[in-house]
Amino acid sequence: MSRTRLAGRTIVVTGAAQGQGAAEVAAAAREGATVIATDVLDEAGEKLAVSLGGEGLDVQYRHLDVSSEGDWADLAASLTEVHGLVNNAGIAVRARLGSVELADWNRAFAVNTTGALLGIQALTPLMPTGSSIVNVGSVAGLTAHHAVAYTASKWALRGLSKVAALELAPRGIRTNVIHPGYIETPLMASANPVFVQAHLSLTPQGRAGTVDEVAPLVVYLLSDEASYVNGAEITVDGGYAAHGGVKAITNALDAT
C-alpha cells in the first residue's frame, strides 16, 4: 500500500514521546508527513525521533510544555507552514469530587484543555486551506466519570473543539475529536487495578485497546480522505460509550 496520504505536509503532535502520541507520530510519518514531535519528556522524545529517523522517516523532536504560551510561540516562530495539529498531550488526575485539590484541578485544565487552545491559537495562522486539527478527548468526556478534574477538562475540550470547527471551517481548517476508551499506554500503567477490571468489564469487546488501533484514525482525520469531516466526535473504545451502562444489566442477566 502506498504511504503518501500525508506527503508534503508538516504535522505537529503533542504528548508525542511515548504511548499513543508516539504511535501517532510514527503513523503520520509513515504516510509521508514531516512530523514535529513535541513533549516535555526530552530523553524519550529524542530517542523516538532518532529511532524513526533510522527508518528514513522525517521526525523532529521539540521540547514543548503545552500549558506554556511562550513555548507555543517559540514553536510557531520556528515553522513556516503547518498542515496538521494533533493535541494529544494529556495528564490523568484521578482524585474524586470530595478530595481533588485546586492545584491538581487547575493543572488538569492547563494541560488537557488550555494546551489545545494555545496550540490552536499559535499554529492556525500557519495553516493553509485543507489543514486539520485532531483533539484527543476521552470517553470520560462523554459521561460522568469518577476522576472529576480529568472528566471536566475533557468535557471542556469538546466545547473548544466545537467552537474551532465552527470558526475555522471558513478558512478551510477542520477540527475533530477522538475519544479513546481504555488504551494500553504508560498513562494507564498507574491506574488502579480495580478501575481497570471494572472498565474492561463494561467494554463490550472485553479487552483494552492498543495505540495502533487509535493512530490510523488520527491519520485519516489529518488526510484529505476526511475533507468533509468537521466537528465530529469519534469513539475508539470497544463499544464502552455505546451502551450507557446497560452492559452491567447484560452482565447480570448472563450470570443468571
Side-chain angles (χ1 to χ4, degrees):
M1 181 178 67
S2 175
R3 294 178 171 178
T4 59
R5 286 189 290 173
L6 302 179
R9 303 185 188 192
T10 297
I11 307 296
V12 173
V13 181
T14 69
Q18 60 184 7
Q20 189 172 293
E24 293 159 358
V25 168
R30 288 171 181 146
E31 288 288 350
T34 294
V35 183
I36 311 300
T38 72
D39 210 308
V40 294
L41 303 176
D42 295 335
E43 184 177 352
E46 294 284 5
K47 184 176 180 180
L48 174 69
V50 169
S51 175
L52 293 176
E55 299 179 28
L57 302 176
D58 190 357
V59 177
Q60 305 166 32
Y61 175 73
R62 306 282 179 84
H63 178 91
L64 176 74
D65 175 351
V66 296
S67 68
S68 168
E69 192 171 7
D71 278 11
W72 276 113
D74 290 343
L75 178 64
S78 72
L79 302 171
T80 56
E81 194 168 59
V82 175
H83 306 86
L85 168 61
V86 183
N87 284 309
N88 175 80
I91 58 172
V93 175
R94 298 188 173 102
R96 302 185 71 174
L97 180 64
S99 59
V100 66
E101 296 182 0
L102 180 59
D104 290 333
W105 171 275
N106 289 340
R107 182 62 179 160
F109 273 85
V111 175
N112 298 345
T113 312
T114 306
L117 169 68
L118 294 176
I120 291 169
Q121 289 179 331
L123 297 187
T124 50
L126 304 178
M127 290 185 174
T129 295
S131 295
S132 171
I133 298 166
V134 181
N135 291 330
V136 178
S138 168
V139 291
L142 299 174
T143 64
H145 196 267
H146 72 283
V148 63
Y150 182 79
T151 299
S153 67
K154 291 297 186 178
W155 274 88
L157 181 64
R158 293 177 65 195
L160 169 63
S161 302
K162 296 296 188 183
V163 173
L166 170 67
E167 295 202 357
L168 298 176
R171 294 177 47 193
I173 301 171
R174 298 176 293 106
T175 307
N176 295 287
V177 191
I178 66 169
H179 294 299
Y182 187 92
I183 308 296
E184 294 177 335
T185 68
L187 181 70
M188 300 306 299
S190 61
N192 187 324
V194 173
F195 161 77
V196 174
Q197 182 178 4
H199 190 111
L200 295 182
S201 74
L202 294 173
T203 300
Q205 285 188 241
R207 64 171 177 85
T210 70
V211 294
D212 292 327
E213 292 175 305
V214 178
L217 175 59
V218 173
V219 169
Y220 164 72
L221 291 172
L222 290 170
S223 77
D224 288 341
E225 292 177 4
S227 59
Y228 202 56
V229 181
N230 184 42
E233 300 188 57
I234 306 173
T235 56
V236 193
D237 66 352
Y240 175 86
H243 60 77
V246 175
K247 184 69 166 61
I249 298 173
T250 60
N251 286 352
L253 292 172
D254 289 343
T256 61

